Amino acid sequence: MSISADTIFAHSSGRPPAAIAVIRITGPDAHRVAEGLCGSLPVPRQAGLRTLRSAGGEILDDALVLRFDGPASVTGEHLVELHCHGSRAVVAAILRELATSPGLREALPGEFTRRSFENGRIDLTQAEGLADLLEAETEGQRRAALQVTGGAIRRQVELWRDELLVLSAKAEAAIDYADEEDETQTQAADLAQAASQLRSDIASWLARPRAEPLRHGVRVVIAGPPNAGKSSLLNSLVGIDRAIVSQEPGTTRDVIEVPVSFAGIPFLLIDTAGLRTGGGAIESVGIQRAEQQIAAADVVLWMGRPEVAPDHPRIIRLHGQVDRLDRHDIPPGSLAVSSITGAGLESLVEQLTILGRTLLPEADVVALNDRQAKALREVADAVSSASPKELELTAEAFRQARSAIDRVTGSAGVEDLLDSLFRRFCLGK
């Protein structure tokens, strides 16, 4: 999907029935198409009440019509919004009429936002923030997404890019004056100091917690041997029966993921196959997946013997099934829990909440996602490779850094990412 001369339309509000429905039209023929429906359009950016009619003159609805002239619109093109009554019949009738208009087609998922990106109305970081905003389920996710959508990362990256341009210009100037040793040494020293400061600024952003745990939830893997109570614990924590519970060893053979929120912090609880030797071929695959999940976990809830717990930086050792008479001997350092009586669950949630906060960005602190951080790490590495004694190599290092920083905002080198990003959007966004 790329910039197109097509004019497109889509139902952009929630699924009918509703009080109001919004239908959007954008593209070079948006005004002509809208005039065919409602006659004259209101002046730009002022709502006007119009009667929508079919090509045959049938009244479809009375609607508020908003007109935006490109490039001063959200897509950078001519755009019209129809705010009509939100019944299924009204929406279907208008969409059906639009579908018969020559040169008009239904939008693809995310195509409105993609046109906004390709026409320079937003950059790639803002598009990513908007995708996160549409998927936000917690207050923290909403606040973080709004910051990125509002251009917080874009503004900072533009400052760094301006600094790189200045450094590049100074490096080229130093090359031109290479025969003047005193001048060259002074310029090289200034370059080294400025590059070091830029590298330090970027490093401080890279040291922040990433956006992924906030977006997808802190990954909490419940692990241990068979029949340790892992599935029962998951069911108790989420309040519903999501995992099958049985006395038969090896019941859980695949990974079960359940999103949940504690104290406003998003978590992804992951139940895994019991770790043991032996078992069938299918169970062996489940065990292998369990080991992979442990390696990728943000937090591990270990329900086996403490001495064989996996080596993980954030692990909570649990002594499960403490309601049983033979489970009253609690190992030191382990938290006793019972899915039957609820013992220890409140303390477990409290510990998870404390750990979760350390893995999430602080409130009102902008967080990078993994893609942005990877590109910025390349910028920092390139700047680090600059050598005041080798001005030609320094100039090339700054050029590489500029290329990497352009990938953060989508100015270059991100074509392979665009389709997957905009598929996250709904049809009319």
Side-chain angles (χ1 to χ4, degrees):
M1 187 170 59
S2 60
I3 293 178
S4 171
D6 292 347
T7 299
I8 58 175
F9 72 94
H11 175 213
S12 296
S13 54
R15 179 179 299 178
I20 301 294
V22 178
I23 295 173
R24 305 168 85 192
I25 311 166
T26 190
D29 289 336
H31 291 172
R32 176 190 63 79
V33 170
E35 286 170 350
L37 272 176
C38 61
S40 65
L41 294 178
V43 298
R45 298 180 177 274
Q46 289 188 20
L49 182 62
R50 297 292 187 272
T51 298
L52 308 184
R53 298 177 183 271
S54 69
E58 177 190 358
I59 296 178
L60 303 176
D61 193 25
D62 291 325
L64 283 177
V65 178
L66 281 163
R67 163 188 168 185
F68 301 90
D69 293 353
S73 74
V74 68
T75 60
E77 307 170 322
H78 290 335
L79 184 142
V80 175
E81 288 188 353
L82 309 175
H83 294 233
C84 58
H85 292 95
S87 74
R88 293 187 180 93
V90 168
V91 172
I94 297 172
L95 294 178
R96 189 164 54 245
E97 183 65 22
L98 289 173
T100 64
S101 181
L104 190 64
R105 66 170 174 83
E106 189 173 22
L108 299 171
E111 191 167 5
F112 283 86
T113 305
R114 180 154 187 171
R115 290 188 179 204
S116 180
F117 165 72
E118 292 180 331
N119 289 326
R121 301 297 294 176
I122 60 174
D123 77 340
L124 186 56
T125 65
Q126 290 171 291
E128 290 172 320
L130 182 55
D132 291 343
L133 182 62
L134 295 175
E135 297 171 354
E137 295 183 354
T138 69
E139 178 65 11
Q141 290 170 334
R142 182 191 68 82
R143 292 166 64 93
L146 275 176
Q147 285 183 308
V148 180
T149 303
I153 294 177
R154 176 181 188 168
R155 289 189 292 272
Q156 180 59 63
V157 170
E158 286 176 346
L159 290 175
W160 287 332
R161 194 180 193 284
D162 289 345
E163 291 181 43
L164 281 170
L165 286 172
V166 171
L167 290 174
S168 294
K170 288 183 177 180
E172 297 292 345
I175 293 173
D176 292 339
Y177 292 95
D179 294 335
E180 301 180 19
E181 185 174 348
D182 291 342
E183 180 69 20
T184 300
Q185 288 179 350
T186 299
Q187 290 178 327
D190 291 343
L191 275 175
Q193 181 178 0
S196 176
Q197 182 60 53
L198 175 60
R199 185 172 60 249
S200 177
D201 290 346
I202 295 175
S204 68
W205 276 65
L206 291 173
R208 298 177 180 180
R210 293 286 177 267
E212 275 73 14
L214 180 59
R215 180 196 304 165
H216 304 300
V218 177
R219 297 181 65 86
V220 178
V221 174
I222 306 173
N227 290 351
K230 301 183 297 299
S231 298
S232 296
L233 177 64
L234 180 139
N235 291 338
S236 296
L237 288 173
V238 302
I240 57 175
D241 290 340
R242 289 297 306 272
I244 298 174
V245 177
S246 171
Q247 295 298 319
E248 179 182 345
T251 300
T252 301
R253 299 187 177 188
D254 205 348
V255 173
I256 298 174
E257 299 182 347
V258 185
V260 68
S261 175
F262 298 134
I265 298 175
F267 291 89
L268 186 65
L269 302 184
I270 302 172
D271 187 20
T272 59
L275 302 177
R276 64 170 179 170
T277 57
I282 296 178
E283 186 180 351
S284 297
V285 173
I287 292 172
Q288 183 180 11
R289 292 181 180 178
E291 292 170 344
Q292 293 170 348
Q293 290 293 329
I294 292 172
D298 295 316
V299 179
V300 173
L301 302 184
W302 178 249
M303 301 194 70
R305 300 198 318 275
E307 63 271 16
V308 295
D311 184 15
H312 193 278
R314 289 172 296 276
I315 186 169
I316 299 177
R317 294 172 175 82
L318 301 178
H319 184 69
Q321 302 173 335
V322 72
D323 52 282
R324 287 169 34 183
L325 293 178
D326 60 344
R327 298 285 294 172
H328 288 180
D329 190 9
I330 303 169
S334 295
L335 173 64
V337 295
S338 169
S339 300
I340 302 296
T341 66
L345 296 187
E346 185 175 344
S347 296
L348 174 57
V349 169
E350 183 179 348
Q351 290 191 37
L352 285 173
T353 302
I354 292 171
L355 280 175
R357 286 199 179 98
T358 67
L359 295 167
L360 298 184
E362 295 181 17
D364 300 323
V365 173
V366 182
L368 303 168
N369 64 29
D370 286 342
R371 183 199 67 80
Q372 296 157 1
K374 179 181 178 182
L376 282 177
R377 192 172 293 108
E378 292 178 15
V379 175
D381 290 344
V383 172
S384 296
S385 68
S387 171
K389 297 180 180 179
E390 300 287 347
L391 291 175
E392 290 83 358
L393 295 179
T394 294
E396 173 61 19
F398 292 150
R399 186 198 65 78
Q400 293 177 357
R402 294 201 314 272
S403 177
I405 210 164
D406 283 343
R407 291 198 294 277
V408 179
T409 57
S411 300
V414 294
E415 284 300 317
D416 56 332
L417 300 173
L418 298 183
D419 287 341
S420 60
L421 169 63
F422 291 110
R423 276 196 294 267
R424 292 174 58 191
F425 290 80
C426 57
L427 190 65
K429 193 64 180 175

